[in-house]
Amino acid sequence: MEQLKKRYLSLDVFRGLDIALMIIVNSPGKQATTFAPLLHAKWHGFTLTDLVFPTFLFIVGNSMSFSMPKYEALSNNTFFKKVLKRTVIIFFLGYLMYWFPFFENGGLKPLSDTRIFGVLQRIALCYFFAALILRFWKTKGALIFSAIALLSYQLLLHSFGDLSLAGNAVLKLDTWLIGESHMYHGDGIAFDPEGLLSTLPAIVNIIAGYIAGKFLQKSGQNNKTIVRMTILGALLILTALAWDTIFPFNKKLWTSSFALLTIGLDIIILSVLVYVLDIAKKIKWTYFFEILGKNPLFIYLLSELLVITLYQFKIKGDSAYDWIAENIFVSHLGGYLGSLGFALSIMLSCWIVGYFLNKNKIYIKI
């Protein structure tokens, strides 16, 4: 039991670190004066921020390595219903978040302009397919699927378009399937970085997290396990760097080289955390991140709704978001530090809510 608790501590801290960074990069005070590592790569390339979302998927898979054995005794029909229910709830929460605040100009916000795919929606779809693959094809089948998915995704992108923003196959499928009005428009054109087709390689991030979790449980938390995981992570990173020369890192397209790079990095990060927390037993610094890691989806949703709400209210002609960022943070700390300070304030506000939830032993799970 004690060993299991330690593993959950590592997982909570890993989740908490990722949620903290996710909130910070999603709520910069002024994007024009945001430190470069806290911005996504504009197209091809890779930054610290680009690691945040694939890490969350990896952690979902890691969590599944603990929960899936509980489902082994269930019939296929019962298992499918449980997975489908969780998928629908997470997908619907993501959709509601984009529809929020539901009303505009005195009437109901039109569903015809609401974005369909997004972060939570991708989590839901990746979880759904990964759960079925792992249930019916087991680990060996999941590895075969992962290899085929990554190779075939490159073939699909090169066969049905190019790797440009305006001409890629992800955009073409989403435009045909859901239409431009239901897509993300933040890149200047209708293009969804969480589009349907690019969900295929993202499933592999969850599968990798699951396999890493199972390996840890089987091999134990010891130096030999850490060395083997670190070597594997390094080999995946080197393979990804070689693949990048012909299929560039691109978070918005979720290219196969990008998936492989982020999996390699996440395996090394997990190895470091297990070593620090479970072998070296240096746990005094973990409490802050445990708070965020125990209610991750709720705190993420809270941060997004907080930012959206701040944009709805006006202060002296500006949105409350922009006015607070400019007049409280940027004007006193300067552009870059002010933008970071504002983002930290959003993250800390959500942490306080998480603190009270944890203090009252309230853990919101789906």
Side-chain angles (χ1 to χ4, degrees):
M1 179 63 71
E2 181 64 24
Q3 193 175 39
L4 185 61
K5 287 181 180 177
K6 288 181 180 178
R7 285 183 178 136
Y8 274 114
L9 173 62
S10 300
L11 189 56
D12 282 339
V13 173
F14 199 5
R15 274 194 301 249
L17 284 163
D18 196 52
I19 289 294
L21 187 55
M22 183 180 290
I23 296 172
I24 289 169
V25 302
N26 284 347
S27 52
K30 293 179 67 175
Q31 191 161 358
T33 55
T34 295
F35 290 109
L38 301 180
L39 295 172
H40 287 292
K42 290 185 177 179
W43 192 241
H44 295 326
F46 183 78
T47 72
L48 173 64
T49 298
D50 292 326
L51 181 61
V52 173
F53 190 18
T55 295
F56 197 89
L57 292 179
F58 183 89
I59 294 169
V60 169
N62 208 231
S63 300
M64 288 170 62
S65 71
F66 291 96
S67 63
M68 287 285 283
K70 302 174 185 176
Y71 294 162
E72 288 180 357
L74 299 178
S75 68
N76 289 337
N77 186 50
T78 303
F79 171 80
F80 182 79
K81 287 180 179 178
K82 283 183 174 291
V83 170
L84 182 61
K85 178 183 177 181
R86 181 172 294 176
T87 299
V88 170
I89 291 173
I90 296 173
F91 193 100
F92 189 60
L93 285 173
Y95 183 77
L96 285 178
M97 185 177 73
Y98 292 134
W99 192 27
F100 182 81
F102 312 127
F103 296 91
E104 65 179 12
N105 301 322
L108 195 65
K109 187 177 178 181
L111 291 173
S112 58
D113 295 330
T114 302
R115 185 180 171 193
I116 291 179
F117 296 123
V119 171
L120 288 180
Q121 293 91 318
R122 169 154 292 180
I123 292 172
L125 292 174
C126 287
Y127 163 76
F128 177 78
F129 289 111
L132 295 183
I133 290 166
L134 290 164
R135 167 80 174 193
F136 296 108
W137 293 351
K138 310 303 180 185
T139 300
K140 183 178 180 180
L143 284 170
I144 294 172
F145 166 84
S146 297
I148 293 174
L150 294 181
L151 292 171
S152 63
Y153 185 60
Q154 178 175 355
L155 180 62
L156 287 169
L157 288 194
H158 283 102
S159 299
F160 297 97
D162 54 37
L163 299 184
S164 69
L165 174 61
N168 64 82
V170 176
L171 179 149
K172 291 179 180 179
L173 178 60
D174 287 343
T175 302
W176 172 79
L177 184 66
I178 61 176
E180 293 185 356
S181 62
H182 292 295
M183 294 162 63
Y184 179 70
H185 288 76
D187 291 312
I189 66 171
F191 168 77
D192 210 310
E194 283 80 42
L196 183 61
L197 184 59
S198 56
T199 298
L200 176 64
I203 297 169
V204 180
N205 288 81
I206 287 191
I207 291 174
Y210 175 89
I211 293 174
K214 293 295 289 184
F215 177 76
L216 267 175
Q217 293 172 58
K218 181 179 179 180
S219 301
Q221 296 164 323
N222 53 63
N223 288 327
K224 183 179 179 181
T225 298
I226 299 306
V227 170
R228 293 169 69 183
M229 289 183 63
T230 302
I231 291 173
L232 175 60
L235 288 174
L236 290 175
I237 291 171
L238 289 174
T239 304
L241 289 170
W243 206 347
D244 173 60
T245 61
I246 57 174
F247 197 25
F249 299 143
N250 189 308
K251 186 266 179 188
K252 294 176 181 178
L253 287 177
W254 212 285
T255 51
S256 303
S257 59
F258 171 79
L260 210 60
L261 174 68
T262 54
I263 290 169
L265 289 170
D266 284 330
I267 289 174
I268 290 178
I269 294 169
L270 179 60
S271 301
V272 170
L273 286 173
V274 171
Y275 176 81
V276 171
L277 300 181
D278 301 318
I279 297 177
K281 302 186 185 305
K282 305 215 179 266
I283 61 175
K284 292 182 179 180
W285 60 276
T286 62
Y287 181 72
F288 181 90
F289 298 104
E290 286 181 69
I291 295 298
L292 296 172
K294 288 180 178 178
N295 279 293
L297 279 178
F298 174 80
I299 290 176
Y300 167 72
L301 264 174
L302 175 66
S303 70
E304 291 292 296
L305 295 178
L306 175 58
V307 168
I308 294 170
T309 301
L310 287 174
Y311 271 116
Q312 302 305 310
F313 291 96
K314 299 293 183 181
I315 301 177
K316 297 181 179 179
D318 290 327
S319 70
Y321 182 100
D322 291 328
W323 189 92
I324 293 170
E326 181 66 38
N327 292 277
I328 296 179
F329 291 92
V330 173
S331 63
H332 291 90
L333 299 175
Y336 286 93
L337 288 177
S339 293
L340 178 59
F342 176 80
L344 288 171
S345 74
I346 297 292
M347 187 268 289
L348 290 172
S349 298
C350 295
W351 183 90
I352 291 171
V353 176
Y355 169 80
F356 283 107
L357 289 175
N358 182 65
K359 186 176 181 180
N360 291 284
K361 302 186 184 304
I362 299 173
Y363 305 111
I364 302 170
K365 299 182 182 297
I366 298 174

